Amino acid sequence: MNKILVIGDSCVDVFRYGKINRIAPEAPIPIINPEYEKSTPGMAGNVVKNIEALGFKVDFITNSSEIKKIRYVCSKYNQLILRVDENDKCERVRFITLKNINYSDYDAIIISDYCKGFLEEEDIEFISNQHPLVFLDTKKRLDKWAYNVSYIKINHQEYKNNKEILNKDSKLKSKTIITRGKYGCDFQDINYPTQEVPVKDVSGAGDTFLAGLVVDYIKSKNISSAIDFAQKCTTIVVQKSGVSTI
């Protein structure tokens, strides 16, 4: 069976749903009466869950300290009212941990970097030098430390933050996939359109895209096929509430 290694920072995604029937008298804010709560693994943990849902084995290296994202949602309209991030930073991975991995055990390596402190640029550069197929999803500003990554996945806002360097550096640009929500995604100046569906929640959609991308690429060895499959996976999860798996 195929096996993937995921390295990155993870959190617990908490969704607290409740009724909203009135505005507080003290300030113009809604009063939420809690009904139920849902918790799921988030960030790199959500990538892992989606890979498992697609039938692949996965090993996971992540932070031990708990990061928690708590979202308060109006249950009637599925409207996000407030998000509270607890303990938004974590410890850095130990280099000895990265050094002792048997990278040849895996079909691919995924680096899911949410920039919470678990991975620095030199960690990502080291990992990308250990395996011929490494996928990177990062919120860092790209630079030469990402040269040996096979493919880079960023969203459109992250592309705006990296636009200057990508326009100057053809090596980075040639391996960068830019997701654009309902406008599909861009890769090597080609737009890959996506099916338009009713969207309930986009939380974690990028993690699902990454999982689908890597799983299909291992099977097909074709990046265009992998992008199409990843977008199909994403259209499934955005029609569900909360952070969901395929």
Side-chain angles (χ1 to χ4, degrees), residues 97-145:
T97 300
L98 299 180
K99 190 177 178 183
N100 287 341
I101 297 168
N102 189 354
Y103 291 90
S104 62
D105 286 347
Y106 303 98
D107 295 280
I109 312 295
I110 294 177
I111 303 170
S112 179
D113 172 38
Y114 272 79
C115 228
K116 303 297 183 183
F118 190 67
L119 294 167
E120 298 295 339
E121 285 89 345
E122 53 263 42
D123 300 322
I124 296 172
E125 185 173 23
F126 175 81
I127 296 165
S128 64
N129 289 336
Q130 308 309 309
H131 197 278
L133 186 58
V134 178
F135 292 78
L136 170 64
D137 184 358
T138 184
K139 297 191 178 302
K140 290 180 173 60
R141 278 184 61 84
L142 298 170
D143 212 330
K144 293 179 180 179
W145 51 266

Side-chain angles (χ1 to χ4, degrees), residues 52-225:
E52 290 173 337
L54 289 166
F56 273 48
K57 286 187 175 181
V58 58
D59 286 340
F60 189 24
I61 297 173
T62 190
N63 45 292
S64 56
S65 58
E66 186 177 79
I67 296 172
K68 192 178 282 188
K69 297 180 183 179
I70 305 168
R71 297 169 174 88
Y72 292 85
V73 183
C74 171
S75 56
K76 184 176 181 180
Y77 297 106
N78 196 48
Q79 176 65 52
L80 178 65
I81 303 303
L82 176 69
R83 182 173 129 178
V84 179
D85 289 3
E86 291 183 357
N87 188 28
D88 203 35
K89 290 291 180 183
C90 65
E91 74 284 356
R92 183 178 177 181
V93 65
R94 296 175 63 202
F95 179 71
I96 191 68
T97 300
L98 299 180
K99 190 177 178 183
N100 287 341
I101 297 168
N102 189 354
Y103 291 90
S104 62
D105 286 347
Y106 303 98
D107 295 280
I109 312 295
I110 294 177
I111 303 170
S112 179
D113 172 38
Y114 272 79
C115 228
K116 303 297 183 183
F118 190 67
L119 294 167
E120 298 295 339
E121 285 89 345
E122 53 263 42
D123 300 322
I124 296 172
E125 185 173 23
F126 175 81
I127 296 165
S128 64
N129 289 336
Q130 308 309 309
H131 197 278
L133 186 58
V134 178
F135 292 78
L136 170 64
D137 184 358
T138 184
K139 297 191 178 302
K140 290 180 173 60
R141 278 184 61 84
L142 298 170
D143 212 330
K144 293 179 180 179
W145 51 266
Y147 269 7
N148 284 338
V149 171
S150 307
Y151 294 101
I152 301 165
K153 179 248 149 196
I154 55 177
N155 63 35
H156 196 248
Q157 182 57 50
E158 291 156 358
Y159 165 70
K160 288 179 182 177
N161 297 336
N162 285 282
K163 189 174 181 179
E164 186 178 348
I165 189 167
L166 289 174
N167 286 339
K168 290 179 181 177
D169 196 322
S170 59
K171 187 168 184 177
L172 283 176
K173 187 175 182 181
S174 67
K175 61 181 70 181
T176 300
I177 301 165
I178 305 153
T179 58
R180 303 178 64 231
K182 67 178 182 179
Y183 301 107
C185 71
D186 298 333
F187 178 62
Q188 294 187 351
D189 297 322
I190 297 172
N191 178 261
Y192 292 76
T194 190
Q195 180 187 359
E196 194 163 340
V197 294
V199 175
K200 279 192 174 181
D201 202 325
V202 297
S203 302
D207 303 325
T208 300
F209 180 95
L210 181 61
L213 182 79
V214 178
V215 164
D216 189 84
Y217 187 84
I218 290 171
K219 293 178 179 178
S220 69
K221 300 296 187 290
N222 184 300
I223 194 62
S224 295
S225 167

Side-chain angles (χ1 to χ4, degrees), residues 17-30:
Y17 294 88
K19 290 180 179 177
I20 296 175
N21 296 315
R22 61 195 180 102
I23 301 298
E26 307 95 331
I29 56 172

Side-chain angles (χ1 to χ4, degrees), residues 1-16:
M1 183 180 281
N2 298 103
K3 195 173 184 182
I4 296 170
L5 174 64
V6 176
I7 306 173
D9 26 22
S10 62
C11 72
V12 179
D13 278 316
V14 180
F15 286 79
R16 292 177 179 166

